Amino acid sequence: MPASENEPTELELQDYLFDLNGFFTVQQAISEDQRQAILSWIDAHPASMADAAKFETGEEGQWIGDVEVQSYMNQDGVNYQNIIEGGDVFEQMIDNPRWIDHVRRYLGPGLTGKNISLNECLLNVRASGGYIGLHSGGHLPWFSSVFHHPSGEWGVGQLNVITALEDIGPGDGGTTIVPGSHKSCAPHPHFKRQEHPDQNVVNYSGPAGEAENMVELHLKAGDSLIFTDGVAHGSSARTNPGSRKIMLFRYCSTWIATRWNYLASPELMARLTPARREIVQPVKPRLCPSWRKAMHKTP
Ligand SMILES: O=C(O)CCC(=O)C(=O)O
Ligand SMILES: [Fe+2]
């Protein structure tokens, strides 16, 4: 038998490494034209932290059309949430052929074979000094952390696709991951250092890059990092001047609710291809009569 027949296929290798580490990367996941269009969109829509709704308060951020300016926590930058409402280039990302088959494969077929739902989609612009603390890990009993592959069929609760809009290298505040931590039953010891060590769930009090065994992932502009939300992860602090710009699309099983429950605008729904519409709204809203009545009342 020629030696080449014994070589693992690219997919076999990816499956193995994804299972082992909880992440893999896709090179040139967006074209140069797409990347430039996205960067131009950001340039045309500058926003500051003051414009941003805060994650936990429920207040509204500034709206840019149907895109909401938001921020998770104080240091982690401006999010342009619901970015699929921002124009054609973002609609192309819903089922980007460079990643969508991987995402479908690892979410698994679910009950009906249609098991993909866009959970969240945003651009994030993080200034110098910004970071995101350590969070997630296999010890958490959350559906977004689910990571199964019994009998060869995958069943991963949530896949995050982070695309670098510019090169991310040392000092740029790259995403950090503890490889294999999606399988760990123990919380990462770094969680103990937070202000409330009894709450071993999240630690937003220091850059995740400071946690033991973290790997900082450097990406070329246009490359994507795909990972299970179950790995302990976060980002290093950005020490370089300027800002880190990324695009983040999260996909979940259709059994998991979307993160913010933005309802797609009628215009967007009308425009989308059936394949994209199904990812954005896998389950049609089913309004009970009193809702329908309330919606017909003028405010
Ligand atoms: O900002 C980062 O690099 C990490 C973002 C993150 O925590 C996530 O995508 O779930
Ligand atoms: Fe995260």
Side-chain angles (χ1 to χ4, degrees), residues 72 120 132-136 158 160 162 175 204 227-229 231-235 248 250 259:
Y72 294 135
E120 185 175 21
I132 194 160
L134 182 71
H135 54 288
S136 293
Q158 180 173 308
N160 302 330
I162 287 186
T175 304
Y204 283 105
F227 61 104
T228 160
D229 201 58
V231 283
H233 66 277
S235 91
L248 169 53
R250 289 188 212 279
R259 184 157 187 184

Side-chain angles (χ1 to χ4, degrees), residues 215-249:
V215 174
E216 183 178 289
L217 294 153
H218 298 155
L219 297 170
K220 287 264 159 246
D223 290 358
S224 295
L225 163 68
I226 303 185
F227 61 104
T228 160
D229 201 58
V231 283
H233 66 277
S235 91
S236 297
R238 184 178 177 92
T239 50
N240 293 339
S243 58
R244 189 197 74 162
K245 300 182 186 73
I246 60 149
M247 177 171 63
L248 169 53
F249 273 57

Side-chain angles (χ1 to χ4, degrees), residues 12 45 57 74 107 116 129 153-154 164 183 187 198 218 221 247 262 283 296:
E12 282 168 341
H45 301 99
T57 60
N74 289 333
L107 289 176
I116 180 167
E153 203 114 75
W154 292 85
K183 300 203 178 185
D198 49 316
H218 298 155
M247 177 171 63
Y262 293 109
V283 184
H296 284 105

Side-chain angles (χ1 to χ4, degrees), residues 79 83 88 104 232 277 285:
N79 294 333
I83 195 62
D88 184 49
R104 258 186 229 287
R277 206 177 303 139

Side-chain angles (χ1 to χ4, degrees), residues 52-75:
K54 294 287 180 302
F55 175 55
E56 276 157 336
T57 60
E59 74 200 89
E60 292 210 7
Q62 297 251 326
W63 289 91
I64 302 168
D66 290 325
V67 174
E68 189 177 17
V69 180
Q70 181 247 30
S71 146
Y72 294 135
M73 302 281 157
N74 289 333
Q75 327 81 333

